[in-house]
Amino acid sequence: MSFKSSVGVLILTLTGVLAVSNARAQDGLANLTGKVEIDGSSTVAPISMAAADSFSKKCPKVSVPVLISGTGGGFKRFVIGEIDISDASRPIKKAERDTATKNGIKFLELPIAYDGLTVVVHKNNSWCKQLTIDQIKKIFRADTAAKKWKDVDPSWPDREIKIFAPGTDSGTFDFFKEVVAADGAIRDDISVSEDDQQLVVGVSETESAIGFFGVAYYMQNTDKLSAVQIVNPQTGKPVSPTVEAIESGEYAPLSRPLFIYVNAKSVTRPEVKVFVQHYLDQAATLAKSVGYVALPSEAYTRAKDVLKTRKTGTSYLDAEGKAKHGAILDIYTTANIAD
């Protein structure tokens, strides 16, 4: 047999071996069984649901229910070991981390997308096209609590402001409170719900209303709501919550990363490990498909390294347990992760 013939036979043999190997791998995925339990943020839920749906095509025998109890509600279950994955629209807090430690729960912190918290008004609202952070504080803080639109701007109507907001268990509420009333409280005369669709209905059916939630819910309801431009405190320019503005950080200070937290013990189960790998592989595409913004590719590379090495802990708390703030690539590093 000639050299060329030998090489040809070798290539065909290797191709056949790889084909058989891939087929067996696919058969293995198709026959994988088990359950991956997810709960938490209503903001992150659409991404996790999309991940579960696409995963079901690879592993139809694995059940992946996605529940919604708010970021705080998800963490309450997560830190006592009731669920495998906690969807979170904010980083884990010190008290939650400490409870997890007390209960022997180690976790992987995995960022999956960017969100731009969007302030919305009724389609017929012709006056509130943009807001400064100070004006948002006038509306939402308990110590200012503007009752009518004219209290925010004298040129605006003498109409009562109706407010619709996420529930206090929501990471969206926590993030908003941190930006708007870190040293105070949010007013309590507001309509709240953990279901963002209920907030959409509330604002869309009330002409003098205002509300807020993740950008994906606004993008799904542009025919019913108008997004208010937010004046960037640094540049003084009003900015809409577009993909480009959220990704660049221009939409400030209402842009934020979204996360999934994974129980490190759960990752030892094949169905959880394969699901999380699938989630990270598809995260950028999944985020865009439901109206969010993909992270820089380096952030996903780091998250995959965390999964591969099973590096437990958070990058978002310092040694004293205080929350860290800043660009995701500055904070989310292996060196910063600590239990």
Side-chain angles (χ1 to χ4, degrees):
M1 182 181 291
S2 69
F3 176 73
K4 281 188 176 180
S5 298
S6 298
V7 171
V9 170
L10 178 60
I11 290 174
L12 288 172
T13 302
L14 289 174
T15 302
V17 169
L18 288 173
V20 171
S21 177
N22 288 334
R24 287 175 177 171
Q26 291 302 317
D27 287 343
L29 290 176
N31 292 319
L32 189 64
T33 61
K35 185 176 184 180
V36 183
E37 296 190 79
I38 306 174
D39 196 358
S41 168
S42 62
T43 301
V44 180
I47 311 176
S48 290
M49 289 175 179
D53 182 62
S54 60
F55 182 70
S56 69
K57 295 175 175 62
K58 293 170 57 176
C59 302
K61 295 181 180 180
V62 178
S63 172
V64 189
V66 180
L67 303 181
I68 300 173
S69 62
T71 296
F75 274 133
K76 285 176 185 176
R77 299 187 65 200
F78 183 74
V79 299
I80 60 175
E82 283 191 356
I83 56 176
D84 302 305
I85 297 173
S86 188
D87 286 342
S89 59
R90 59 159 171 80
I92 195 167
K93 294 180 178 179
K94 180 181 184 298
E96 293 162 340
R97 190 272 311 272
D98 291 348
T99 301
T101 300
K102 178 182 176 183
N103 291 317
I105 305 297
K106 290 184 174 292
F107 57 83
L108 312 182
E109 179 180 67
L110 306 173
I112 54 165
Y114 279 132
D115 180 27
L117 193 152
T118 306
V119 178
V120 296
V121 294
H122 192 276
K123 273 289 186 183
N124 291 345
N125 185 318
S126 60
W127 59 92
C128 185
K129 300 298 184 183
Q130 63 184 53
L131 287 168
T132 65
I133 294 301
D134 284 341
Q135 287 175 318
I136 293 175
K137 289 178 179 180
K138 279 186 180 181
I139 296 172
F140 287 95
R141 283 177 61 116
D143 57 356
T144 49
K147 300 297 183 182
K148 297 185 176 183
W149 283 103
K150 71 172 185 177
D151 297 333
V152 183
D153 185 316
S155 67
W156 289 353
D158 183 14
R159 299 182 64 177
E160 184 180 1
I161 301 173
K162 297 286 188 180
I163 300 175
F164 294 86
T168 55
D169 257 350
S170 165
T172 302
F173 181 91
D174 285 342
F175 177 72
F176 187 79
K177 180 180 182 296
E178 183 177 326
V179 172
V180 174
D183 56 347
I186 298 293
R187 61 195 294 175
D188 58 10
D189 58 336
I190 59 180
S191 298
V192 299
S193 176
E194 298 293 349
D195 183 351
D196 289 336
Q197 284 299 334
Q198 290 299 314
L199 304 180
V200 170
V201 171
V203 177
S204 66
E205 294 184 350
T206 311
E207 284 198 7
S208 62
I210 190 169
F212 64 89
F213 38 69
V215 67
Y217 286 94
Y218 165 66
M219 293 299 183
Q220 294 167 18
N221 295 279
T222 55
D223 59 326
K224 302 174 185 176
L225 303 168
S226 293
V228 179
Q229 292 183 312
I230 304 302
V231 177
N232 183 309
Q234 300 298 319
T235 66
K237 295 180 180 179
V239 183
S240 298
T242 64
V243 169
E244 295 77 15
I246 293 168
E247 186 174 25
S248 69
E250 185 183 6
Y251 186 69
L254 297 182
S255 296
R256 58 178 176 167
L258 304 175
F259 304 85
I260 58 172
Y261 285 79
V262 186
N263 186 314
K265 185 176 180 180
S266 296
V267 178
T268 63
R269 301 194 338 252
E271 70 273 23
V272 177
K273 181 182 178 182
V274 173
F275 173 73
V276 176
Q277 287 175 331
H278 171 80
Y279 201 138
L280 291 179
D281 286 341
Q282 301 296 319
T285 300
L286 295 171
K288 293 175 184 177
S289 74
V290 295
Y292 292 109
V293 179
L295 298 172
S297 59
E298 176 61 23
Y300 293 121
T301 297
R302 294 177 188 180
K304 290 175 183 177
D305 286 342
V306 167
L307 176 61
K308 181 179 180 180
T309 61
R310 297 185 187 174
K311 175 73 172 176
T312 60
T314 175
S315 288
Y316 283 83
L317 293 172
D318 65 18
E320 286 74 43
K322 294 180 181 178
K324 295 180 185 177
H325 303 279
I328 189 168
L329 294 183
D330 292 336
I331 296 178
Y332 188 71
T333 68
T334 302
N336 285 340
I337 295 175
D339 289 314

